[in-house]
Amino acid sequence: MKHAQSQGSLRAQEAVFAGSGPAPALVVSQLEKIFGGKDAVTKALNGISMQVAQGEMVAIMGPSGSGKSTLLNCIATIERPTSGQIVVGGQDLSRLRGRDLARFRGSQLGFIFQDSNLLDTLTGYENIALSLTIQGARPSSIDGMVRKVACDLGVEDVLDKLPGQMSGGQRQRVAAARAMVGSPALILADEPTGALDSRNATVMLRTLERMNREMGATIVMVTHDAYAASFAQRVIFIKDGAVFTQVVGQGERKELFDRIMEVQSFLSGEVRDDA
């Protein structure tokens, strides 16, 4: 397959990304995650290495069971890797424990989930503001920060509504505002359009694109959807817990979409051949 690259080739390209601009926002080095023990061992991550530059939007794709969700969980500090290293914004996550880890997670990582995970009893405003309160932001600064990010992402009209009074697309955009409001080093999006219809999915993807291009957010998005991935600048494919290949956007989004589909078709054929 003409777009497939070896692990060594991918690392060489990563070095170009890291060396042509500011220091990487995310560095993953030889990451392994093993579940189980003795006779029932599953290696979910198998020495994966990758980098994401500051201000880059990267999508991670792969077949079911490839390890992409485990990778995201390790970066999010939800799971601890068995070995290897994760560095976010220059901070080695393996060195953080207890309160330091919680403080880092609250201030340096933003999260967008498939289900918005907004608190049902809080308004949109309060859900966004809660993120700042957890970070320890000055109370006098919170109102301005909440209203600015809400305006930037087009959700100022639902700030006074409870999640149950919002559409699914509005809830996801409020969740995006919550993730963005504290200017974290890295925003992690886990299937952010998975629960949305096609119209709202497109609105959400354009919101992420705006966060990245206009607001400078660094975003890592796990998705199974080629259309969603085509909004990223680069797509990394995971197979059997390791980097399989990557495709880089170099022109029209339609061109990137076609290349993503080509890799997906190749991987689907391999899965069927292995069955």
Side-chain angles (χ1 to χ4, degrees), residues 6 13 26 49-50 53-54 101 107-108 112 148 187 194 199 205 210-211 238 247 251-252 267 269:
S6 68
Q13 290 203 30
L26 170 67
S49 296
M50 56 176 278
Q54 290 183 31
L101 180 59
S107 64
Q108 297 302 311
I112 305 172
K148 183 179 186 306
I187 291 178
R199 184 183 68 83
L205 290 166
R210 188 174 183 182
M211 291 164 63
I238 307 296
V247 291
E252 295 294 325
L267 286 172

Side-chain angles (χ1 to χ4, degrees), residues 37-235:
K38 295 185 179 179
D39 297 331
V41 173
T42 299
K43 183 173 280 190
L45 298 178
N46 189 18
I48 191 169
S49 296
M50 56 176 278
Q51 293 187 11
V52 176
Q54 290 183 31
E56 191 178 15
M57 181 171 170
V58 173
I60 298 176
M61 303 188 75
S64 177
S66 61
K68 58 186 183 295
S69 293
T70 301
L71 172 62
L72 194 73
N73 286 342
C74 287
I75 297 171
T77 72
I78 295 170
E79 296 179 5
R80 280 201 173 271
T82 305
S83 63
Q85 185 181 50
I86 302 171
V87 177
V88 175
Q91 177 67 63
D92 183 350
L93 301 191
S94 67
R95 298 180 180 276
L96 298 177
R97 294 288 190 279
R99 291 182 179 178
D100 289 338
L101 180 59
R103 189 178 301 112
F104 178 86
R105 186 188 294 123
S107 64
Q108 297 302 311
L109 298 177
F111 300 94
I112 305 172
F113 303 95
Q114 179 172 331
D115 181 355
S116 61
N117 278 13
L118 299 179
L119 295 178
D120 292 337
T121 57
L122 300 183
T123 64
Y125 180 100
E126 291 165 340
N127 268 283
I128 298 170
L130 181 61
S131 176
L132 293 171
T133 301
I134 291 172
Q135 291 179 31
R138 295 194 317 275
S140 60
S141 69
I142 289 177
D143 184 71
M145 295 172 72
V146 170
R147 295 191 183 279
K148 183 179 186 306
V149 75
C151 181
D152 288 342
L153 298 184
V155 291
E156 65 272 27
D157 56 337
V158 297
L159 287 179
D160 294 330
K161 294 183 178 181
L162 295 171
Q165 299 170 315
M166 304 177 195
S167 69
Q170 289 170 333
R171 287 193 295 271
Q172 280 298 76
R173 283 183 287 140
V174 170
R178 179 184 60 187
M180 186 71 198
V181 69
S183 300
L186 184 64
I187 291 178
L188 303 174
D190 187 6
E191 300 282 4
T193 62
L196 301 178
D197 60 34
S198 59
R199 184 183 68 83
N200 279 310
T202 297
V203 172
M204 181 62 191
L205 290 166
R206 295 203 182 281
T207 297
L208 292 175
E209 188 177 52
R210 188 174 183 182
M211 291 164 63
N212 171 247
R213 295 186 179 181
E214 298 180 17
M215 302 169 73
T218 304
I219 302 173
V220 174
M221 171 176 62
V222 164
T223 182
H224 70 281
D225 182 7
Y227 176 70
S230 71
F231 280 78
Q233 296 153 6
R234 183 162 54 111
V235 184

Side-chain angles (χ1 to χ4, degrees), residues 255-271:
E255 178 187 350
L256 179 59
F257 174 82
D258 290 341
R259 295 171 67 199
I260 293 168
M261 291 298 295
E262 181 181 346
V263 178
Q264 279 193 310
S265 296
F266 181 85
L267 286 172
S268 296
E270 282 205 329
V271 169

Side-chain angles (χ1 to χ4, degrees), residues 17-36:
F17 275 101
S20 59
L26 170 67
V27 180
V28 176
S29 302
Q30 294 298 310
L31 206 67
E32 292 191 350
K33 178 63 178 179
I34 299 173
F35 294 102

